[in-house]
Amino acid sequence: MLYWAIVFFIVALVAAVFGFGGIASASAGIAQILFFIFVVLFIVALVARAIQGRGR
């Protein structure tokens, strides 16, 4: 998921350089959403791993 966030961020940068403002803002928005989903899932995985590790 982090890979796709980076891909959309690069697409947004390239679109911004060439002057496509609508595409750039849409790609940046998608990249931001994917990044936050990645962070939330990462934190959930860390917490789940910590809880699972304590039981053993």
Side-chain angles (χ1 to χ4, degrees):
M1 188 163 308
L2 185 60
Y3 170 78
W4 286 110
I6 293 170
V7 168
F8 277 107
F9 179 69
I10 292 171
V11 169
L13 288 177
V14 171
V17 167
F18 288 116
F20 298 111
I23 296 172
S25 66
S27 294
I30 292 171
Q32 186 177 13
I33 290 169
L34 288 175
F35 178 75
F36 285 124
I37 291 172
F38 168 78
V39 169
V40 167
L41 290 176
F42 180 71
I43 291 171
V44 168
L46 284 177
V47 169
R49 178 74 173 164
I51 292 172
Q52 184 181 19
R54 289 184 187 193
R56 293 182 180 207

